[in-house]
Amino acid sequence: MFTSVLMIEKALTSADVEFVTGLHGDEEVAFHVLLQPRGEQAARLLRAIDDVALGSLDEAAHELEAPAGEQAVSEGQRALDVSLVALRAAGAQAVGRLIEHHPLDSLKSLVEEADADEVIVLTDPHYVEEFFHRDWASRARHKVGVPVLKLFSHSKA
């Protein structure tokens, strides 16, 4: 069985599930999903800049409406639950947890704990962070000791 740690920031879409479950052909895959709830102020600013760079001015304006605190955690848990159900429905084994602080430390610990074969980071594009190599995938490559695959979400959730 192939073991993947999947880092996400929102609920997986059906296209995302199809994509990640098909990466290894017919081989059985077990996913350990990590989701970090949205709501951090610095992240809101970076997402707004990304939205402007993509020409999505309406989305940039709505970043202020993004949930924070307990509401973000609650919505994050729902997104995680939906994602796990979808992965299982596609025939994969899937377990997951929310991470609120230090996502790369949590990732490193989980890779070791699960004896993972790879890390998949599946997010919307984050051009500012990626340009400066501050995105999860770039930083994880220097920390986890297994291959890290950076994928972009296929569509909005």
Side-chain angles (χ1 to χ4, degrees):
M1 174 159 315
F2 201 84
T3 304
S4 294
V5 174
L6 177 61
M7 287 190 74
I8 60 176
E9 60 188 0
K10 64 180 184 179
L12 296 174
T13 65
S14 58
D16 294 333
V17 170
E18 185 177 333
F19 191 44
V20 298
T21 57
L23 286 173
H24 299 289
D26 293 333
E27 189 169 359
E28 266 190 74
V29 180
F31 289 99
H32 293 263
V33 182
L34 292 176
L35 185 142
Q36 184 173 29
R38 298 176 69 156
E40 186 180 315
Q41 195 64 30
R44 285 182 184 180
L45 175 60
L46 290 173
R47 285 193 307 267
I49 292 169
D50 286 337
D51 291 337
V52 170
L54 290 169
S56 304
L57 298 179
D58 287 342
E59 289 184 33
H62 292 299
E63 280 300 332
L64 290 176
E65 300 168 8
E70 285 301 313
Q71 184 183 2
V73 171
S74 176
E75 288 187 20
Q77 186 62 54
R78 280 194 299 275
L80 178 61
D81 293 343
V82 165
S83 299
L84 294 175
V85 167
L87 287 166
R88 291 176 190 142
Q93 293 182 23
V95 294
R97 62 179 94 150
L98 292 180
I99 48 174
E100 293 187 54
H101 305 289
H102 311 293
L104 294 175
D105 292 340
S106 298
L107 174 64
K108 184 178 182 351
S109 296
L110 182 56
V111 165
E112 292 169 358
E113 174 188 319
D115 194 24
D117 298 298
E118 70 179 357
V119 170
I120 301 170
V121 177
L122 179 70
T123 64
D124 287 334
H126 297 293
Y127 297 114
V128 174
E129 291 174 334
E130 289 162 16
F131 179 79
F132 291 107
H133 302 284
R134 300 304 302 156
D135 60 299
W136 284 344
S138 296
R139 292 169 41 205
R141 285 186 180 104
H142 303 288
K143 192 165 187 129
V144 296
V146 298
V148 177
L149 180 61
K150 169 67 176 161
L151 302 174
F152 292 123
S153 181
H154 278 73
S155 58
K156 299 284 182 189

